[in-house]
Amino acid sequence: MSYTDLSTPIRTIMTPGPVEADPRVLRAMSTPVIGQFDPEFLKVMNETMALLRYSFQTDNHRTFPVDGTSRAGIEAVLCSIIEPGDKVLIPIFGRFGYLLTEIASRCGAEIHTLEKDWGEVFYPEEVKAEMKKVNPKVVAMVHGETSTGKMQPLKEIGQFCREQDALFVVDAVATLGGVEFKTDEWCIDAAIAGTQKCLAVPSGMAPLTYNDRVEELILERKDIERGLADDSANDRRIQSNYFDLSQIQDYWTTDRLNHHTEATSMLYALREGLRIIQEEGIEQRCERHQFHGEALMEGLKAMGLELFGNQENKMPVVTVIKVPEGIDEAQVRQTLINEFSIEIAGAFGPLKGNVWRIGSMGFSCRKSNILQVLSALEATLLYHGADINCGAALQAALAFYAEHK
Amino acid sequence: MSYTDLSTPIRTIMTPGPVEADPRVLRAMSTPVIGQFDPEFLKVMNETMALLRYSFQTDNHRTFPVDGTSRAGIEAVLCSIIEPGDKVLIPIFGRFGYLLTEIASRCGAEIHTLEKDWGEVFYPEEVKAEMKKVNPKVVAMVHGETSTGKMQPLKEIGQFCREQDALFVVDAVATLGGVEFKTDEWCIDAAIAGTQKCLAVPSGMAPLTYNDRVEELILERKDIERGLADDSANDRRIQSNYFDLSQIQDYWTTDRLNHHTEATSMLYALREGLRIIQEEGIEQRCERHQFHGEALMEGLKAMGLELFGNQENKMPVVTVIKVPEGIDEAQVRQTLINEFSIEIAGAFGPLKGNVWRIGSMGFSCRKSNILQVLSALEATLLYHGADINCGAALQAALAFYAEHK
């Protein structure tokens, strides 16, 4: 069998990720490879770390990507700090909260969860009350839940974690680079981002950051490991080699202690994505995401569609709408992708079949994409016999753009 | 601080990896991203799996890449099959044998090792004798040790593993795509490759393959996991979520059960790298590597340099030479990279400072690169005052090329 030259279609990607990569990022990836011990490569690593600190809004020295997709970064943080029997509190308000539970559980954690109905987030008091009861070593939470389109305010919880001497770990995969995220100001001890969402970089790297409190713990485990004569019952080693942050952080220094072979082209991509963020300015970038997210909402509401869940804590970069009665949600998505080459997302778990999730992230978050998805969705819904307000979406969105220019 | 457009130097990379990526691979990476649930993406995944089966010379259904660097693939295989207390035999003949030990040990294995002096490999009888004594569940070995430039014959060991009902896991990171590797014929139960070596693709993916014997074990662990009501003492769960092959293999089917978000651009790169292998033909490709490797050796010997270790089991794609007396090995490499923009490698552990390792892998394995590294090395050694045969290397290499054309 012979295989043709790669010829994938050009899509307008309006999902909660992976979204369109910035063309500058795609070009950066075709830069020739240099060796991992090449002095010029150290420069690329250092610049990427500095740019990441800016995006994470942190002074943390330990700020670098792990080579793997977002959940690789989450697992690297959790397995480097959780030891068997450690109490970990995970407040869950959507699918990715369960993922934290699943990963922490495999690290041997004693898991404590709080759960919210999908579409809601937590009041800080609820988390604080549970923390007083459980006294966890770690509190792990999702910032933006793409499964529900909701966003958890973190600052107050972070401050309380600091008071209680718990480590606060945040999954910022869907928010970093698109929504305000202040690692240091919000007292976040470790955070993990995703490249394939608001950073507009392809999937395959997990940028993360952690502070001295986390590093201290990791180094303590490393010291014990070094002193172990054999496998004792009190083996406190980090259970993964690939995700052992005590080793990876040594790779990301001038010592360059060999761990893995850095994913060169992905690093080129990440550096370029972060450079674009720095040029745009992180605050301006968050404003852009907020702005186009509102335009999208105006259009959807004008069409007569109903937004899902509590709007008070809506993620600006993911808009979740209910499927109109009598409409087959999968069929609508199929028409959109097959006829318009536009991708929106269905849903998971309890929401499956009942809502669509429309992303407006990174490079995909721009006026032409917002208007395209609104018009194509309107046309498709009409085509499938839905009872919506014909012509209202574009009018509302354009009015919004004219007013807020 | 502002950051310039990425402008890394163009290098001639003659190390044991990462080596030069094929320009076609670099171009493939700048293809626009499509979503992971896009029907067209499924096609890219299926084609990549089929192409991987060809390179691995296997009929294994389960043949796909893990999103991470080579050691991510090794950890995925080992942690998916090793349970606490399992006996694992690891015959070590260089640095990467220790890595297998380190990873298996963190999975809770009872480790048994055999060790050879660096520069040698094992007689199959030695491994078989130890297997009879230990009766291991798993035998894990490196195929090509880039640390010493030596290659372990595997077929007889594989056959004995099958007889003894042990699982045979092989690290083929440095050999796949450049040296003969026959997964099925050699009775290898699981093998892991690297992209950044003979595949001529950037680092960041770990292609792997495993057979039904491995899958059966993985599914057994998954079933037990599903039946567990709580965390019992007999927790047989795979300790990693990211590396849980029972979950990842479901992602690589038409069901496409969501696990991670596939590293789109890296997959494009891998597909193109494998397509080039298919076009060249795997046997022809191995012959090319053998051929240029010999030309390199002829040149180095003519120069008066001494090859390291037992030549009987030399890897065709890595040539290890002793540093001439009185020469500072690091200084020579610095001159090569700073003045000629040519990279060769130093060494690890007991060989550090004493040898250079010259790779001839993938796209880097071509006549012009062989002649460039020979001439530049000769000039550099003379410059640093080494006593070598002036002018002999090019003559010998060109004579070899003329004779074997």
Side-chain angles (χ1 to χ4, degrees):
Chain A
M1 181 154 179
S2 89
Y3 297 88
T4 62
D5 207 33
L6 188 64
S7 71
T8 51
I10 301 297
R11 303 292 197 206
T12 300
I13 312 184
M14 301 302 278
T15 67
V19 298
E20 300 167 26
D22 193 297
R24 275 176 57 181
V25 169
L26 294 177
R27 286 200 302 274
M29 270 191 295
S30 60
T31 307
V33 163
I34 56 175
Q36 62 169 334
F37 295 115
D38 194 308
E40 292 295 319
F41 194 62
L42 187 62
K43 210 173 108 189
V44 178
M45 291 172 82
N46 287 342
E47 288 177 352
T48 306
M49 286 193 282
L51 284 163
L52 264 182
R53 286 184 198 106
Y54 173 71
S55 278
F56 271 118
Q57 298 280 289
T58 185
D59 292 328
N60 287 342
H61 180 54
R62 303 303 186 182
T63 306
F64 51 78
V66 162
D67 287 352
T69 68
S70 312
R71 74 171 62 196
I74 296 172
E75 186 161 323
V77 168
L78 292 182
C79 85
S80 292
I81 62 177
I82 297 174
E83 300 176 44
D86 279 348
K87 288 183 188 171
V88 178
L89 175 63
I90 304 175
I92 300 170
F93 59 103
R95 178 170 189 267
F96 291 95
Y98 290 105
L99 177 62
L100 294 175
T101 310
E102 145 93 3
I103 296 173
S105 153
R106 292 190 188 214
C107 301
E110 179 186 311
I111 306 277
H112 297 260
T113 59
L114 279 175
E115 296 199 34
K116 272 279 166 183
D117 286 341
W118 286 34
E120 301 289 331
V121 300
F122 291 91
Y123 294 106
E125 291 68 32
E126 297 173 298
V127 177
K128 286 156 75 169
E130 193 67 13
M131 281 182 65
K132 283 182 200 154
K133 266 200 345 223
V134 171
N135 192 26
K137 170 174 159 181
V138 176
V139 176
M141 276 194 102
V142 172
H143 184 211
E145 258 292 354
T146 53
S147 62
T148 65
K150 299 299 171 280
M151 194 163 67
Q152 176 67 47
L154 296 173
K155 190 175 179 177
E156 208 177 320
I157 299 172
Q159 287 169 335
F160 194 70
C161 283
R162 198 60 54 96
E163 282 173 34
Q164 300 283 304
D165 201 27
L167 292 174
F168 192 33
V169 176
V170 175
D171 166 352
V173 170
T175 47
L176 196 88
V179 180
E180 184 182 64
F181 188 84
K182 294 182 177 289
T183 305
D184 294 354
E185 196 181 314
W186 296 351
C187 299
I188 294 166
D189 295 295
I192 307 98
T195 49
Q196 74 279 15
K197 299 184 190 271
C198 300
L199 300 188
V201 169
S203 170
M205 269 197 160
L208 51 81
T209 185
Y210 53 92
N211 61 18
D212 291 347
R213 301 173 82 213
V214 169
E215 186 177 354
E216 212 171 288
L217 176 62
I218 292 171
L219 290 180
E220 191 187 317
R221 294 183 75 177
K222 191 181 198 173
D223 284 347
I224 289 172
E225 178 202 334
R226 284 175 176 159
L228 276 179
D230 56 3
D231 286 331
S232 76
N234 294 317
D235 191 349
R236 288 185 59 193
R237 270 185 311 182
I238 292 167
Q239 70 185 18
S240 168
N241 167 280
Y242 192 70
F243 292 138
D244 183 338
L245 291 177
S246 78
Q247 294 192 19
I248 303 176
Q249 72 177 22
D250 285 343
Y251 182 75
W252 284 87
T253 61
T254 43
D255 295 346
R256 304 289 297 291
L257 289 184
N258 189 54
H259 180 255
H260 56 287
T261 299
E262 190 53 24
T264 322
S265 306
M266 282 302 305
L267 187 67
Y268 291 171
L270 177 60
R271 178 186 178 280
E272 188 66 3
L274 295 171
R275 199 164 72 101
I276 293 168
I277 292 179
Q278 203 211 29
E279 286 170 14
E280 183 173 4
I282 188 74
E283 282 170 28
Q284 289 78 354
R285 189 175 177 96
C286 294
E287 278 165 23
R288 167 166 63 87
H289 279 88
Q290 178 70 35
F291 178 62
H292 291 296
E294 282 179 26
L296 175 65
M297 265 206 299
E298 290 303 318
L300 292 167
K301 286 194 289 191
M303 215 186 286
L305 293 171
E306 197 185 336
L307 297 171
F308 165 79
N310 188 340
Q311 294 313 300
E312 212 175 308
N313 295 296
K314 182 186 175 299
M315 279 176 87
V317 297
V318 182
T319 302
V320 184
I321 47 175
K322 295 186 183 172
V323 176
E325 201 120 344
I327 294 293
D328 178 337
E329 80 84 11
Q331 210 172 38
V332 168
R333 283 191 291 121
Q334 266 161 34
T335 303
L336 281 172
I337 198 154
N338 294 338
E339 311 303 333
F340 292 89
S341 212
I342 294 176
E343 190 186 14
I344 66 169
F348 300 110
L351 297 181
K352 198 176 158 82
N354 304 322
V355 302
W356 289 300
R357 299 176 306 138
I358 304 183
S360 46
M361 292 174 157
F363 185 70
S364 286
C365 179
R366 58 189 199 270
K367 186 176 174 184
S368 57
N369 273 22
I370 299 292
L371 297 183
Q372 279 179 34
V373 74
L374 283 171
S375 305
L377 181 62
E378 177 183 300
T380 302
L381 285 172
L382 289 170
Y383 178 76
H384 286 291
D387 177 26
I388 54 162
N389 306 324
C390 186
L394 182 62
Q395 211 168 19
L398 281 180
F400 176 88
Y401 278 121
E403 196 180 327
H404 296 85
K405 206 159 183 176
Chain B
M1 180 151 178
S2 91
Y3 297 87
T4 62
D5 208 33
L6 187 64
S7 70
T8 51
I10 302 298
R11 301 292 196 206
T12 299
I13 312 184
M14 300 303 277
T15 68
V19 297
E20 299 167 25
D22 193 297
R24 276 176 56 181
V25 169
L26 294 176
R27 287 200 301 273
M29 271 191 294
S30 60
T31 307
V33 163
I34 57 175
Q36 61 169 333
F37 295 114
D38 193 308
E40 294 294 321
F41 194 61
L42 187 60
K43 210 173 107 189
V44 179
M45 292 171 81
N46 288 341
E47 289 177 349
T48 306
M49 286 192 283
L51 285 163
L52 264 183
R53 285 184 200 107
Y54 173 71
S55 278
F56 271 117
Q57 297 282 289
T58 185
D59 292 328
N60 287 341
H61 179 56
R62 304 304 187 181
T63 306
F64 50 79
V66 161
D67 288 352
T69 68
S70 312
R71 75 171 61 197
I74 296 172
E75 186 161 324
V77 168
L78 292 182
C79 86
S80 291
I81 63 177
I82 297 173
E83 301 176 41
D86 280 349
K87 286 182 189 169
V88 178
L89 174 63
I90 304 175
I92 300 170
F93 59 101
R95 179 170 189 266
F96 291 95
Y98 290 104
L99 176 62
L100 293 175
T101 311
E102 145 93 3
I103 295 173
S105 153
R106 292 188 189 216
C107 301
E110 181 187 311
I111 306 278
H112 297 260
T113 58
L114 279 176
E115 296 198 35
K116 273 277 167 186
D117 285 342
W118 286 34
E120 301 289 330
V121 301
F122 290 91
Y123 294 106
E125 291 69 32
E126 296 173 298
V127 177
K128 285 156 77 170
E130 192 68 14
M131 281 181 67
K132 283 181 200 157
K133 266 197 348 220
V134 170
N135 191 25
K137 170 175 160 181
V138 177
V139 176
M141 275 193 105
V142 172
H143 184 211
E145 258 292 353
T146 53
S147 61
T148 66
K150 299 299 171 282
M151 193 164 66
Q152 175 66 48
L154 297 173
K155 190 174 179 178
E156 208 177 318
I157 300 172
Q159 287 169 336
F160 194 70
C161 284
R162 197 61 53 94
E163 281 173 35
Q164 299 283 305
D165 201 28
L167 292 173
F168 192 34
V169 176
V170 175
D171 165 351
V173 170
T175 49
L176 197 88
V179 179
E180 184 182 62
F181 189 84
K182 293 182 177 289
T183 306
D184 293 355
E185 197 181 312
W186 295 352
C187 298
I188 294 166
D189 295 296
I192 306 98
T195 50
Q196 75 279 15
K197 301 187 187 268
C198 299
L199 300 187
V201 169
S203 170
M205 269 198 161
L208 51 81
T209 185
Y210 53 91
N211 62 17
D212 291 347
R213 303 172 81 215
V214 170
E215 186 176 356
E216 211 172 287
L217 175 63
I218 293 171
L219 289 180
E220 191 188 317
R221 294 182 75 176
K222 190 180 197 172
D223 284 348
I224 289 172
E225 177 201 333
R226 283 175 177 157
L228 278 179
D230 56 3
D231 285 332
S232 76
N234 294 316
D235 191 350
R236 289 186 57 195
R237 270 185 310 182
I238 292 167
Q239 69 185 19
S240 167
N241 166 281
Y242 191 70
F243 292 137
D244 183 338
L245 290 177
S246 77
Q247 294 191 20
I248 302 175
Q249 71 177 24
D250 285 343
Y251 181 76
W252 284 87
T253 61
T254 44
D255 294 347
R256 304 287 299 290
L257 289 182
N258 189 54
H259 179 255
H260 55 287
T261 299
E262 190 50 26
T264 321
S265 306
M266 281 304 302
L267 188 65
Y268 291 170
L270 177 60
R271 178 186 178 281
E272 189 66 3
L274 296 170
R275 199 163 73 99
I276 292 167
I277 292 179
Q278 204 211 28
E279 287 170 13
E280 183 173 2
I282 186 75
E283 282 169 29
Q284 290 78 356
R285 191 176 175 96
C286 294
E287 279 164 23
R288 167 167 64 88
H289 280 86
Q290 179 69 35
F291 179 61
H292 292 296
E294 282 179 27
L296 176 63
M297 263 203 302
E298 290 304 318
L300 293 168
K301 283 194 292 191
M303 215 185 285
L305 294 171
E306 197 185 337
L307 297 170
F308 165 78
N310 187 341
Q311 293 314 300
E312 211 176 310
N313 295 296
K314 181 188 177 296
M315 280 177 86
V317 297
V318 182
T319 302
V320 183
I321 46 175
K322 295 187 184 170
V323 175
E325 200 119 343
I327 294 293
D328 179 337
E329 82 82 13
Q331 210 173 35
V332 168
R333 284 191 290 120
Q334 267 162 33
T335 302
L336 281 173
I337 200 154
N338 293 339
E339 311 303 334
F340 293 88
S341 211
I342 295 177
E343 190 186 16
I344 66 170
F348 300 111
L351 297 181
K352 199 177 157 83
N354 303 322
V355 302
W356 290 300
R357 299 176 306 139
I358 304 183
S360 47
M361 292 175 157
F363 185 70
S364 286
C365 179
R366 58 189 200 272
K367 186 176 172 184
S368 57
N369 274 22
I370 299 292
L371 298 182
Q372 278 178 34
V373 76
L374 282 171
S375 305
L377 182 61
E378 176 183 302
T380 302
L381 285 172
L382 289 171
Y383 179 76
H384 286 291
D387 177 24
I388 54 162
N389 306 325
C390 186
L394 182 62
Q395 211 168 18
L398 281 180
F400 176 86
Y401 278 121
E403 197 179 328
H404 297 82
K405 209 163 183 176

